[in-house]
């Protein structure tokens, strides 16, 4: 049986277990303040509204079911209890660190690194916040500032582990799940531990060196490298050849009128045509 034809398990996985998660985190467990919930409106919102005190740990909220999960541009993030991994972490940066520019791109590299280490082939990054495998969306990232001084940001990540039923998602043939692209699905605790650990390492480098340290890694996984794309904004659109990202995370487009740089804003990137 191929990975793509593997059926969705008949029973949902057990709820996330904090002791198992701490075991997978090992010596890094004390670096995180873990909050695992059965249900919440949005893991990002929980952290932003609660504004945890800075005790030296990274606050983390993971939830089995989000009732008002959000993506970029106000879109709803669809997730299913037991079939997704949805979590947010609040990362604090020193004054002067390059936040938020490039942060969602570094988070994407962290997710890609964990997936690749788990044996997933064909991981791609779609600017500025989507995780794809062979052109189909596996997950997304939402970064929101959590401090007026812009030294703290909440990074929310959602990954599809399986899709619900035979119908999957009506009208969304461009969506995939981890159990369709990997031979052996890791436990959610192991996956979450790896994602937290790798993010922590990469964000430390980001705070010290900026996005330039990650430009090559992101461009190697660029889903639309050298392809025609269309950027759709609230009032206009822009077409060009996708040349990857610049040293500050801006998207580089070769248009009919010359090279254009686009910083992550309220835009959507799609294949042209």
């Amino acid at each position: 049986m191929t990975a793509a034809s593997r059926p969705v398990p008949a029973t949902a996985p057990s709820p996330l277990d904090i002791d198992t998660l701490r075991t997978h985190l090992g010596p890094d467990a004390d670096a995180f303040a873990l909050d695992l919930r059965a249900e919440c409106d949005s893991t990002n919102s929980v952290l932003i509204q609660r504004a945890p005190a800075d005790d030296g740990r990274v606050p983390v909220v993971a939830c089995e079911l989000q009732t008002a999960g959000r993506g970029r541009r106000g879109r709803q993030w669809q997730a299913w209890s037991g079939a997704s991994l949805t979590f947010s972490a609040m990362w604090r940066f020193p004054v002067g660190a390059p936040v938020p520019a490039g942060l969602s791109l570094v988070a994407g590299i962290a997710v890609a690194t964990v997936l690749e280490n788990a044996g997933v082939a064909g991981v791609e990054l779609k600017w500025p916040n989507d995780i794809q495998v062979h052109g189909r969306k596996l997950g997304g990232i939402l970064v929101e500032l959590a401090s007026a001084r812009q030294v703290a940001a909440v990074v929310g990540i959602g990954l599809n582990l399986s899709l619900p039923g035979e119908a999957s998602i009506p009208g969304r043939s461009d969506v995939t799940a981890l159990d369709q692209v990997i031979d052996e699905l890791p436990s959610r605790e192991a996956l979450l531990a790896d994602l937290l650990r790798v993010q922590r390492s990469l964000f430390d480098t980001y705070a010290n060196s900026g996005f330039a340290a990650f430009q090559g890694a992101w461009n190697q996984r660029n889903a639309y490298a050298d392809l025609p794309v269309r950027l759709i904004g609230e009032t206009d659109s822009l077409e060009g050849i996708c040349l990857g990202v610049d040293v500050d995370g801006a998207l580089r487009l070769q248009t009919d009128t010359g090279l254009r740089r686009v910083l992550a804003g309220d835009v959507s990137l799609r294949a042209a045509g």
Side-chain angles (χ1 to χ4, degrees):
M1 180 181 297
T2 64
S5 63
R6 189 180 297 110
V8 175
T11 58
S14 300
L16 285 165
D17 180 76
I18 194 166
D19 291 331
T20 304
L21 176 56
R22 289 183 65 87
T23 297
H24 281 290
L25 282 168
D28 295 317
D30 291 339
F32 300 96
L34 304 171
D35 181 357
L36 308 185
R37 302 187 175 200
E39 184 176 312
C40 71
D41 55 354
S42 158
T43 55
N44 266 33
S45 295
V46 169
L47 284 176
I48 291 173
Q49 294 167 4
R50 191 178 69 189
D54 186 359
D55 62 2
R57 298 180 297 170
V58 177
V60 177
V61 175
C63 184
E64 297 291 339
L65 179 63
Q66 292 189 110
T67 58
R70 293 176 286 117
R72 289 182 66 251
R73 307 185 75 194
R75 296 189 182 96
Q76 181 181 6
W77 174 262
Q78 285 188 293
W80 302 271
S81 182
S84 303
L85 178 61
T86 53
F87 71 98
S88 300
M90 179 179 287
W91 303 92
R92 295 181 171 94
F93 297 88
V95 175
V99 180
L103 191 58
S104 67
L105 306 186
V106 179
I109 294 170
V111 176
T113 299
V114 170
L115 293 176
E116 290 161 355
N117 289 343
V120 180
V123 180
E124 303 165 341
L125 299 176
K126 176 185 172 185
W127 187 88
N129 70 329
D130 282 357
I131 312 298
Q132 299 185 168
V133 177
H134 295 306
R136 301 177 71 188
K137 184 171 180 177
L138 178 71
I141 297 164
L142 177 64
V143 175
E144 296 181 283
L145 295 181
S147 168
R149 298 176 62 192
Q150 297 190 359
V151 295
V154 172
V155 178
I157 295 176
L159 293 175
N160 301 325
L161 302 186
S162 61
L163 298 179
E166 294 298 325
S168 295
I169 306 173
R172 292 299 304 273
S173 61
D174 59 339
V175 175
T176 190
L178 191 57
D179 71 347
Q180 297 180 345
V181 298
I182 195 172
D183 290 331
E184 184 175 351
L185 195 66
S187 73
R188 291 188 298 161
E189 289 88 356
L191 186 60
L192 177 53
D194 286 344
L195 288 165
L196 291 174
R197 189 182 297 109
V198 173
Q199 279 187 94
R200 183 174 176 234
S201 174
L202 297 191
F203 287 168
D204 282 347
T205 300
Y206 175 68
N208 292 321
S209 304
F211 184 74
F214 299 96
Q215 180 187 13
W218 196 95
N219 283 330
Q220 288 174 1
R221 301 175 174 92
N222 180 11
Y224 292 110
D226 300 321
L227 295 176
V229 296
R230 178 182 297 115
L231 276 172
I232 302 174
E234 291 294 326
T235 59
D236 58 4
S237 63
L238 177 67
E239 293 191 7
I241 303 299
C242 181
L243 301 182
V245 294
D246 213 334
V247 292
D248 58 359
L251 186 70
R252 299 170 67 243
L253 286 182
Q254 185 63 54
T255 72
D256 290 341
T257 58
L259 184 65
R260 295 281 298 273
R261 296 175 70 257
V262 182
L263 291 170
D266 197 15
V267 295
S268 177
L269 176 67
R270 300 179 185 176

